[in-house]
């Protein structure tokens, strides 16, 4: 019998926590200092909306935006003066490189901060060998100051984790130079590492504090917005309850009087009885719809009623209803009739309902046309009416119906127009896009 030993595979979850920690740390080092070190990241002007800067005059405040750039330039000038003083009497090429190189590296932090760190670390041994015997090792006086400035500026422009990696890499170079590049005299590495640790600690603390303040400010802003939204919703709920009390009372009176009116007239004609029946049915339907909408506003755990929402299949009933109310309306359906998503069906029905209601209110006696077009990419609607006719006075409106129709169309990524016609009427057109996938669902 032959046994085949399967090779063992270890995924990330089966590895030890120490291995995952080391892997994450090396990944952070690669992301902070090795990933795209030549990236162009110019230093942005300083914000001048702080507690101190906002008190300055306008002209001074404009110049204060460039304070960080001026500080870095002053540091570069300081490094240049140190290098020029130490290299005095040296050959011109040596003096130029010794004095200018560290200063230019400091200025490089304004546009390419990570590259400036690597340039400062790589130039340190060359500047150290170019210096005299008493200039210090492994950092010459000007490279000592330049590297401290570079560490501080780069740490301020990156994340706190990068500051720790830069300090460790600097310490690693110091140990390497002490054992393999020694020149036989004392080192200035402990002084640089100590001062750099203090500077990076201060910068890191300031960064963490600034990030914490930004987080708190963002949370306070979100809390204020939520509080304002909650107050607005509570106010709307109060208005909805008051509106329900007022409208429900009057609609109930309308329904009761419409039901009792035929009995107050001796031998009423059938047309009058049917008119009162229609009035009562509409009043009861309005009350039911009002209570349903109010339930949504009042309770977060409100459950929708079991009764189905109206769709385009109920359009004939709507048209018959407005005809009984005295509106001469014709309906035309073109294209291959198909079932559309529930939201599209409901919105289309409500748009037509609101448009016909507007005709009843604002153009009494007018003729209206309703056109529903089933096209390949969606659904087209057109509701147009002529000018008002008859002696009935038009009812003024606040325009909320048109706004509601636009909101429904916009919610479905559609387009809508509502404008007067040349003959004095009004036309509402809408197109609601429906993809093939949505139609098949």
């Amino acid at each position: 019998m032959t046994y085949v030993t399967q090779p063992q595979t270890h995924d990330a979850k089966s590895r030890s926590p120490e291995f995952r920690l080391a892997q994450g740390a090396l990944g952070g080092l690669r992301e902070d200092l090795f990933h795209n070190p030549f990236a162009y990241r110019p230093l942005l002007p300083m914000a001048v909306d702080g507690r101190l800067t906002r008190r300055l005059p306008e002209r001074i405040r404009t110049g204060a935006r460039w304070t960080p750039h001026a500080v870095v330039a002053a540091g570069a000038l300081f490094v240049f003066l140190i290098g020029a003083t130490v290299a005095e009497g040296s050959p011109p090429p040596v003096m130029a490189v010794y004095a200018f190189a560290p200063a230019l590296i400091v200025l490089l932090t304004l546009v390419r901060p990570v590259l400036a760190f690597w340039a400062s670390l790589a130039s340190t041994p060359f500047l150290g060998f170019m210096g005299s015997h008493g200039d210090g090792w492994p950092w010459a006086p000007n490279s000592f100051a330049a590297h401290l400035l570079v560490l501080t500026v780069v740490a301020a422009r990156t994340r706190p984790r990068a500051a720790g990696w830069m300090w460790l890499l600097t310490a690693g170079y110091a140990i390497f130079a002490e054992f393999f590049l020694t020149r036989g005299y004392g080192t200035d590495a402990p002084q640089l590492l100590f001062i750099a640790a203090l500077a990076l600690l201060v910068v890191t603390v300031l960064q963490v504090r600034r990030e914490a303040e930004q987080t708190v400010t963002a949370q306070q802003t979100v809390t204020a917005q939520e509080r304002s939204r909650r107050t607005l919703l509570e106010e709307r709920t109060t208005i909805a309850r008051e509106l329900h009390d007022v409208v429900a009372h009057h609609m109930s009176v309308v329904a009761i009087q419409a039901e009792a009116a035929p009995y107050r007239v001796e031998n009423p004609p059938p047309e009058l009885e049917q008119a009162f029946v229609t009035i009562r049915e509409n009043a009861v339907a309005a009350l039911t719809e009002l209570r349903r909408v109010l339930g949504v506003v009042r309770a977060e755990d409100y459950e929708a009623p079991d009764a189905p929402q109206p769709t385009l299949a109920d359009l004939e009933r709507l048209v018959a209803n407005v005809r009984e109310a005295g509106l001469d309306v014709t309906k035309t359906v073109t294209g291959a009739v198909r079932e559309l998503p529930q939201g599209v069906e409901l919105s289309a029905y409500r748009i037509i309902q609101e448009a016909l209601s507007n005709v009843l209110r604002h153009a009494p006696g007018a003729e209206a046309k309703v056109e529903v077009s089933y096209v390949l990419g969606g659904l087209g609607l057109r509701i147009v009416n002529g000018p008002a006719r008859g002696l009935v006075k038009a009812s003024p409106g606040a325009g909320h119906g048109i706004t509601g129709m636009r909101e429904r169309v916009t919610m479905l990524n559609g387009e809508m127009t509502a404008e007067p016609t040349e003959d004095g009427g009004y036309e509402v057109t809408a197109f609601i896009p429906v993809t093939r996938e949505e139609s098949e669902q």
Side-chain angles (χ1 to χ4, degrees), residues 23-365:
Q23 188 179 29
L26 293 178
L29 171 63
R30 182 172 62 253
E31 180 182 356
D32 293 336
L33 298 179
F34 286 95
H35 179 68
N36 198 10
F38 295 92
Y40 179 70
R41 294 176 51 198
L43 180 62
L44 300 178
M46 182 183 67
V48 290
D49 55 352
R51 288 178 294 181
L52 297 178
T53 53
R54 71 164 63 104
R55 300 178 181 178
L56 298 174
E58 181 66 25
R59 181 178 301 180
I60 300 179
R61 192 186 309 122
T62 303
R65 301 171 64 242
W66 305 100
T67 300
H69 303 74
V71 172
V72 174
L77 178 61
F78 177 71
V79 170
F80 170 77
L81 293 177
I82 294 177
T85 302
V86 174
E88 187 176 0
S90 301
V94 175
M95 181 177 179
V97 173
Y98 192 84
F100 279 101
L104 293 177
I105 292 175
V106 174
L107 292 176
L108 186 62
T109 59
L110 294 174
V111 290
R112 303 184 190 275
V114 178
L115 178 62
F117 165 74
W118 289 115
S120 177
L121 197 63
S123 64
T124 297
F126 297 101
L127 295 174
F129 280 109
M130 291 174 63
S132 60
H133 181 79
D135 289 345
W137 178 258
W139 277 276
N142 55 342
S143 63
F144 187 100
H147 198 66
L148 284 177
L149 288 173
V150 168
L151 289 176
T152 304
V153 175
V154 175
R157 300 198 58 198
T158 55
R159 64 184 70 185
R161 183 178 61 186
W165 283 121
M166 289 189 297
W167 190 90
L168 289 176
L169 290 174
T170 301
Y173 166 73
I175 295 174
F176 174 80
E178 181 66 23
F179 285 95
F180 298 99
L181 302 177
T182 180
R183 298 182 65 181
Y185 52 89
T187 176
D188 53 2
Q191 295 90 325
L192 184 136
L193 294 177
F194 177 75
I195 299 175
L198 293 180
L200 295 178
L201 179 62
V202 172
V203 172
T204 302
V205 170
L206 293 177
Q207 280 186 323
V208 172
R209 180 181 177 181
R210 183 174 64 251
E211 292 177 359
E213 290 178 349
Q214 293 175 351
T215 303
V216 171
T217 302
Q219 291 177 349
Q220 290 177 347
T221 302
V222 172
T223 302
Q225 293 176 350
E226 291 294 334
R227 188 183 299 112
S228 176
R229 188 179 295 111
R230 190 182 306 113
T231 303
L232 178 61
L233 291 177
E234 292 175 354
E235 185 66 22
R236 288 182 176 178
T237 303
T238 303
I239 295 174
R241 291 173 180 172
E242 294 175 353
L243 181 63
H244 169 266
D245 294 339
V246 175
V247 177
H249 169 72
H250 290 288
M251 294 301 293
S252 300
V253 172
V254 170
I256 293 173
Q257 290 190 355
E259 184 177 6
Y263 300 100
R264 297 182 180 182
V265 179
E266 185 176 356
N267 298 324
E271 294 82 3
L272 182 61
E273 291 184 354
Q274 183 59 37
F276 282 118
V277 169
T278 303
I279 292 174
R280 183 181 181 281
E281 289 177 352
N282 283 303
V284 173
L287 278 172
T288 303
E289 187 73 10
L290 181 63
R291 292 192 180 97
R292 185 187 68 82
V293 175
L294 184 65
V296 175
V297 176
R298 281 182 169 176
E300 295 181 357
D301 56 350
Y302 173 78
E303 296 183 359
D306 296 333
Q309 295 292 327
T311 62
L312 291 176
D314 303 314
L315 192 57
E316 189 62 38
R317 187 185 311 166
L318 173 64
V319 172
N321 194 4
V322 295
R323 283 174 182 163
E324 293 178 358
L327 179 63
D328 184 7
V329 57
T330 58
K331 183 191 72 169
T332 304
V333 179
T334 60
V337 178
R338 63 186 186 276
E339 185 177 355
L340 300 176
Q342 182 180 3
V344 176
E345 294 262 354
L346 176 60
S347 295
Y349 180 91
R350 294 301 189 196
I351 291 171
I352 297 173
Q353 183 184 40
E354 181 61 32
L356 293 178
S357 299
N358 287 341
V359 177
L360 285 171
R361 287 193 299 267
H362 308 310

